[in-house]
Amino acid sequence: MQNNVRPETMERITTKALADAFIAEQVKAVREQVGDKKVLLALSGGVDSSVVAALLIKAIGKQLVCVHVNHGLMRKGESEQVIEVFGKELDANLIYIDATDRFLDLLKGVSEPERKRKIIGAEFIKVFDEEAAKLEGIEFLAQGTIYPDILESDGVKAHHNVGGLPEDMAMELVEPVKLLYKDEVRVVGEALGLPHAMVYRQPFPGPGLGVRCLGAITRDRLNALREADAILREEFDKCGLAEKVWQYFIAVPDFKSVGVRNDKRYEGWPAIIRAVNTTDAMSATIEEIPYAVLHHITDRITHEVEGINRVLLDLTPKPIGTIEWE
Ligand code: XMP
């Protein structure tokens, strides 16, 4: 049984030198724990699982099997980045599963938010399980558990997270960053050479765009959401807001309004911008976005994204609005 308590003497990892020392220590520990056996990891592309993957690749190379399940609810370019960074640059043993159709077929016509979450979570485990069953000789399961997960829950990655895997998987856990706080995980990730954008990625809910394509998800509205969200991220990057704002995204409700495009009636969905700051996600304040930036984003989204004809700004703090709309 590994220790789940962070020793008081453990120094906060804030520099590359401290990160390198931590990495060297963990590489040794992982090699001792795993020997020549194989380790399985669900690699979502989020900060924690990405850092664990990079660390384990350094420690045990191809003995690590990464499985990336694309549930079709990823943001634009995210699965591609996982393939590029882990499959190509780090030459990982990466299994990529495009399960988009499975997820979207199951979600068809389902409008209740918690039901959507349950379907996504359960299907994720199913796809991952099916893949694990095809592999031979896997004795370890790696997880991106971090210290706040241990402090806040029962030590297993929070269950509302997609990637929370069944407890009855008969595999020993490998959790190399479980005593680290989020800021330390990021420092370690950079020391491992992961791209800055991946390591400093804003939080993204496990059910992904599924809880931002409000109500019953349709492929055309999901696509519109993904494109509008990509434009928002691009513009926030350009004007420096990306570094300042804790979480920002687009939500697209399932109703249309009347508009005009190319002198013709054009019915479309509104894209709702949400940009919030918080420290713990329990409460949140609204980031003030300069009007010029808002006008530019509105212009781009309404001209470039098929199906969107209005852009709205959500000014509601938490409480009373939650950060996500669903
Ligand atoms: P709310 O909407 O509750 O969100 O104010 C607080 C934070 O949690 C994220 N969030 C989720 N993360 N699975 C996740 O992994 C979920 O189902 C989920 N719902 C909300 C949200 O993005 C915000 O950062």
Side-chain angles (χ1 to χ4, degrees), residues 114 117 160-162 203-208 211-212 246-247 249 278 280-282 318 321-326:
E114 286 311 300
R117 274 197 176 74
H160 75 286
N161 234 341
V162 169
F204 186 55
V211 291
R212 297 177 182 171
W246 195 79
Q247 198 171 19
F249 57 87
T278 178
D280 57 8
M282 301 294 286
K318 176 182 179 176
T322 48
I323 294 176
E324 301 292 343
W325 271 57
E326 291 193 330

Side-chain angles (χ1 to χ4, degrees), residues 9-49:
T9 51
M10 189 169 155
E11 201 175 344
R12 191 90 170 198
I13 300 171
T14 51
T15 62
K16 166 105 168 67
L18 288 169
D20 285 341
F22 173 84
I23 293 163
E25 188 184 288
Q26 286 305 316
V27 163
K28 188 162 169 275
V30 168
R31 285 182 184 154
E32 274 167 19
Q33 186 190 359
V34 169
D36 60 359
K37 303 292 192 307
K38 283 194 199 153
V39 181
L40 184 64
L41 170 72
L43 176 59
S44 66
V47 181
D48 305 337
S49 67

Side-chain angles (χ1 to χ4, degrees), residues 211-214 221 224-225 228-229 232 248-255 269-275 289 294 297-298 301 308-316 323-326:
V211 291
R212 297 177 182 171
C213 189
L214 309 178
R221 196 157 49 87
L225 163 60
D229 183 70
L232 181 76
Y248 50 94
F249 57 87
I250 299 279
V252 178
D254 62 350
F255 59 79
W269 304 288
I272 302 164
I273 299 175
R274 186 131 176 86
I289 310 170
L294 286 171
I297 291 170
T298 302
I301 291 179
I308 303 276
N309 69 350
R310 284 173 204 260
V311 174
L312 315 180
L313 176 63
D314 183 353
L315 284 171
T316 321
I323 294 176
E324 301 292 343
W325 271 57
E326 291 193 330

